[in-house]
């Protein structure tokens, strides 16, 4: 992380809380977990643990991505929820604004990804050694030179949505790693985790959590 880390100092936005899990709306610009160095210690995990000391990490969102994140309240819930993510039993919906007019209105990106080691944390498409990565998309509407789109990742690779949109020739607006020119000239990464569906770790009831994007 080469730029100055200046996370937003907004109040914790709790979407749901019970004995097994906590769901929050992460702001853009805030790390999910601490980075290396004291200047990167402020993160969503520590803020959640300030309010809920027993909270445990289940998954992460990129620093610049906003939206729904779930934390466990017990070790049992952490194991259960982590397994749901690992076995792709959760359902995730993202909203993004991308550069250009994305066509057709629906489609799928199936491109394997691997870390771009000389330029990490950037990822890149690699058909020889990349891990499978699949994203479905559906256009919501065009907005001038940009398109609002919903993204449905079928896998959970690092930077998957960002690289897949760039590979289509429609980088996500404001993306510091993959956007260039006019597509980069936005105040934040226009990517938001809008909805997360999972099974409650105690009883298995299906649950849905949503948070509206700010863009």
């Amino acid at each position: 992380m080469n730029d100055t880390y200046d996370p937003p100092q907004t109040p914790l936005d709790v979407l749901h809380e019970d004995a097994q899990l906590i769901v929050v709306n992460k702001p853009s610009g805030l790390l999910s977990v601490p980075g290396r160095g004291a200047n990167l210690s402020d993160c969503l995990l520590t803020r959640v643990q300030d309010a809920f000391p027993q909270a445990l990490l289940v998954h992460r969102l990129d620093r610049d991505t906003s939206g729904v994140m779930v934390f466990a309240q017990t070790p049992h819930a952490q194991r259960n929820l982590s397994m749901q993510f690992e076995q792709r039993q959760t359902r995730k919906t993202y909203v993004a604004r991308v550069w250009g007019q994305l066509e057709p209105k629906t489609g799928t990106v199936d491109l394997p990804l691997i870390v771009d080691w000389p330029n990490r944390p950037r990822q890149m498409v690699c058909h020889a050694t990349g891990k499978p990565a699949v994203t479905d998309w559906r256009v919501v509407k065009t907005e001038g030179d940009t398109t609002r789109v919903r993204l449905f990742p079928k896998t959970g690779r690092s930077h998957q949505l960002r690289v897949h949109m760039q590979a289509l020739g429609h980088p996500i607006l404001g993306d510091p790693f993959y956007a260039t020119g006019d597509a980069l000239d936005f105040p934040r990464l226009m990517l938001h985790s809008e909805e997360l569906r999972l099974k409650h770790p105690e009883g298995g009831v299906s649950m849905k959590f949503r948070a509206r994007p700010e863009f």
Side-chain angles (χ1 to χ4, degrees):
M1 187 179 302
N2 297 320
D3 55 334
T4 301
Y5 181 49
D6 185 22
Q9 300 302 313
T10 52
L12 190 65
D13 184 4
V14 178
L15 304 174
H16 174 86
E17 174 205 350
D18 63 40
Q20 295 294 321
L21 53 85
I22 305 155
V23 183
V24 299
N25 182 17
K26 180 182 118 35
S28 176
L30 179 66
L31 289 167
S32 291
V33 298
R36 294 180 181 178
N39 62 314
L40 302 177
S41 61
D42 187 11
C43 65
L44 186 59
L45 177 60
T46 56
R47 292 186 186 186
V48 169
Q49 289 176 336
D50 284 343
F52 306 95
Q54 71 280 12
L56 299 167
L57 185 71
V58 173
H59 66 125
R60 308 181 186 190
L61 292 176
D62 292 343
R63 180 193 68 174
D64 297 325
T65 304
S66 57
V68 180
M69 271 188 69
V70 62
F71 295 83
Q73 291 263 49
T74 67
H76 162 74
Q78 185 186 40
R79 288 191 297 270
N80 181 282
L81 293 167
S82 297
M83 189 65 67
Q84 291 186 52
F85 277 91
E86 182 180 334
Q87 296 182 351
R88 303 176 189 173
Q89 296 173 348
T90 60
R91 295 291 179 266
K92 295 169 280 188
T93 302
Y94 288 76
V95 173
R97 289 181 61 201
V98 302
W99 184 254
Q101 297 188 2
L102 180 58
E103 294 180 351
K105 298 299 183 184
T106 63
T108 299
V109 186
D110 185 352
L111 293 172
L113 301 177
I114 192 171
V115 64
D116 182 0
W117 278 105
N119 300 298
R120 57 189 183 273
R122 286 176 57 97
Q123 309 290 310
M124 64 181 184
V125 174
C126 181
H127 293 280
T129 58
K131 295 181 179 180
V134 180
T135 304
D136 293 338
W137 88 79
R138 185 175 71 242
V139 170
V140 178
K141 62 179 178 179
T142 56
E143 301 169 319
D145 292 330
T146 71
T147 302
R148 184 175 296 266
V149 61
R150 281 198 169 88
L151 304 172
F152 309 93
K154 303 305 180 184
T155 51
R157 307 300 177 200
S158 180
H159 289 192
Q160 175 177 319
L161 302 179
R162 301 161 73 163
V163 178
H164 276 177
M165 291 299 100
Q166 182 205 36
L168 289 179
H170 300 277
I172 297 175
L173 304 181
D175 191 331
F177 289 121
Y178 305 103
T180 58
D182 291 340
L184 180 59
D185 190 21
F186 287 82
R188 58 157 288 185
L189 175 70
M190 300 291 182
L191 179 62
H192 176 81
S193 174
E194 179 185 44
E195 181 178 293
L196 175 62
R197 297 185 184 217
L198 51 77
K199 293 181 179 179
H200 196 275
E202 196 67 49
V205 175
S206 295
M207 305 187 75
K208 178 176 71 174
F209 308 102
R210 289 178 62 89
R212 292 174 61 87
E214 294 183 351
F215 54 82

